[in-house]
Amino acid sequence: MMSVTYLDAAATTRVDPRVADVVLHWMTEDFGNAGSRTHEYGTRAKKAVQQARTQLAAQLGAPAEELIFTSGATESNNIALLGIAPHGEQTGRRHIITSAIEHKAVLEPLEHLQSRGFEVDFLKPDQNGRISVEAVRERLRPDTLLVSLMHVNNETGVIQPVSELGRILRETSTYFHVDAAQGFAKLPEDLTAPIDLISISGHKIGAPKGIGALLVRRRGWDRLPLQPLMFGGGQERKLRPGTLPVPLIMGLAKAEEIFRKEHQQWLAGAQKFREQLLAGLAGIRYHVNGNPEHSVPHILNLSFEGVDAEALIIGLKGVAAVATGSACTSASYTPSHVLTAMGLPDEIVSNGLRLSWLPSQVDGFEVGDLAAAVNQLQA
């Protein structure tokens, strides 16, 4: 397996060895419960969690008390979307704006809210995969409770204008939620904008699976009117009860620290590999799915002319681990809802292939192997 280059980092990443060391320490040495207040084990755990909370919140331009720990972006999305719903029901504000290219962790909770009487507008992107600020503005109404828009699309890597929208919506009564699973720590400036709710995930940046967070930003002195989905214990401002997973929290904090300190190195390495990929594919007929002017450097979605994506994946077996799209939906072999919403031709939609990487995991990859596999199928 070590000879297979991993090009599916948008699905998950390998835990950084430095992160693994931290996690192991808090599992086997400082293993106390952060809720235990009668001894040093608990005190050290509580102090460490608070330091991690402060560090991660600062990455989002917020104080520590506005960040709660969750199991990942999916849970954070559910708390944000379903937790704000009772306020909408009580105030008669049942209109929500989102996009047709969101992750299923946003689309499915919103489908549930539709069954409860909420009206949801699913905005379509342009052919380059971007939602315009004006499209959101045009749909705003006095009863619009929430706008939910992802930061970086998990299939195309296209960056959405969340920073600009955050500033605009802050001047209205409409709350703004951003699923930042793919952009957290990679585009840090965007997320310091006045966005009300931000969902983050650890395993996209070298932290373990099973840890994430939700930022719940105050508006002035006012807390957002979120209701919990679970009960029992009162942890995390009563929004996410349960024993805090201290080792995972410390792993997330360490992964963020590494990404922050090595950000320029990551950025340059990701961009360099992207350029190498495209240069190595010169002369091959393909279409880039997504706006190259507004995309992260480490995700590339391509459709090769006359090449079935599933056949190409088989052809790359033993060479590279790639995917046709989101890990949450790829097993169904249905056409990408993201590429479909972009209005692309059927042959491009059905053959989209996502390549995504961390620079540290692509050493030794020969782009010529990918080009040869494509050429064989295009012959």
Side-chain angles (χ1 to χ4, degrees):
M1 287 296 293
M2 295 305 293
S3 63
V4 177
T5 301
Y6 186 73
L7 296 178
D8 199 19
T12 195
T13 58
R14 178 177 57 196
V15 173
D16 188 291
R18 293 166 289 181
V19 173
D21 288 343
V22 169
V23 173
L24 185 62
H25 170 84
W26 288 96
M27 291 179 71
T28 61
E29 295 185 42
D30 278 321
F31 54 84
N33 187 326
S36 298
R37 304 173 184 272
T38 58
H39 50 70
E40 280 301 308
Y41 288 95
T43 300
R44 284 197 297 270
K46 180 182 179 182
K47 182 178 179 181
V49 166
Q50 187 57 26
Q51 289 173 341
R53 195 190 306 275
T54 299
Q55 172 193 322
L56 293 164
Q59 172 76 247
L60 302 171
E65 61 267 20
E66 293 183 347
L67 186 134
I68 67 169
F69 291 109
T70 68
S71 63
T74 293
E75 183 183 5
S76 295
N77 291 341
N78 274 264
I79 293 173
L81 300 173
L82 303 182
I84 201 74
H87 178 70
E89 291 167 334
Q90 292 162 10
T91 59
R93 296 167 59 194
R94 294 172 175 263
H95 179 235
I96 296 173
I97 300 171
T98 189
S99 82
I101 58 172
E102 299 299 308
H103 192 277
K104 295 296 184 181
V106 166
L107 294 177
E108 291 187 8
L110 291 180
E111 289 171 4
H112 172 72
L113 290 182
Q114 284 182 303
S115 73
R116 287 168 51 176
F118 282 80
E119 180 185 350
V120 183
D121 273 337
F122 296 92
L123 303 180
K124 287 193 174 183
D126 60 25
Q127 281 207 326
N128 288 318
R130 208 155 191 255
I131 303 294
S132 72
V133 170
E134 193 55 40
V136 176
R137 274 178 151 165
E138 288 175 355
R139 299 293 184 95
L140 287 175
R141 306 185 330 206
D143 65 335
T144 303
L145 173 68
L146 180 77
V147 172
S148 182
L149 190 66
M150 64 182 5
H151 183 201
V152 174
N153 186 266
N154 55 298
E155 293 194 26
T156 63
V158 173
I159 305 164
Q160 304 301 332
V162 298
S163 181
E164 184 179 356
L165 276 171
R167 290 188 289 271
I168 291 170
L169 294 173
R170 197 67 166 185
E171 302 303 317
T172 74
S173 61
T174 297
Y175 299 113
F176 187 30
H177 167 250
V178 169
D179 177 356
Q182 295 290 346
F184 174 69
K186 301 182 179 85
L187 301 172
E189 296 83 4
D190 285 358
L191 301 178
T192 60
I195 299 166
D196 298 299
L197 296 153
I198 301 176
S199 302
I200 69 173
S201 177
H203 72 106
K204 311 294 185 181
I205 60 168
K209 299 172 183 65
I211 185 64
L214 175 67
L215 187 80
V216 186
R217 205 185 300 268
R218 287 177 180 265
R219 286 198 169 195
W221 295 104
D222 298 329
R223 291 180 182 269
L224 263 66
L226 284 185
Q227 294 295 318
L229 306 185
M230 300 187 298
F231 301 87
Q235 294 92 340
E236 299 303 274
R237 289 171 38 193
K238 297 184 178 181
L239 286 174
R240 209 281 184 170
T243 301
L244 288 173
V246 178
L248 299 184
I249 289 170
M250 300 312 295
L252 173 58
K254 184 64 177 179
E256 185 279 326
E257 176 192 329
I258 292 169
F259 231 94
R260 175 165 31 88
K261 291 181 177 179
E262 300 178 0
H263 188 263
Q264 289 304 313
Q265 180 182 340
W266 169 83
L267 197 63
Q271 185 62 41
K272 180 181 178 181
F273 185 72
R274 184 187 188 94
E275 292 168 0
Q276 290 174 344
L277 271 176
L278 294 176
L281 294 173
I284 291 177
R285 303 183 303 278
Y286 66 86
H287 181 269
V288 177
N289 303 318
N291 189 329
E293 300 301 316
H294 295 283
S295 292
V296 288
H298 68 292
I299 299 177
L300 190 60
N301 194 300
L302 304 173
S303 293
F304 296 94
E305 184 178 325
V307 175
D308 178 77
E310 296 295 336
L312 181 54
I313 289 174
I314 294 172
L316 290 172
K317 189 175 182 181
V319 175
V322 297
T324 54
S326 171
C328 296
T329 56
S330 59
S332 61
Y333 299 109
T334 56
S336 163
H337 74 280
V338 173
L339 302 186
T340 299
M342 289 164 61
L344 298 174
D346 290 344
E347 61 271 20
I348 288 179
V349 171
S350 61
N351 291 328
L353 187 75
R354 182 184 69 183
L355 309 174
S356 53
W357 56 89
L358 288 182
S360 60
Q361 297 181 1
V362 294
D363 289 342
F365 178 70
E366 296 291 340
V367 181
D369 291 337
L370 172 60
V374 174
N375 276 322
Q376 185 175 5
L377 292 169
Q378 284 185 335

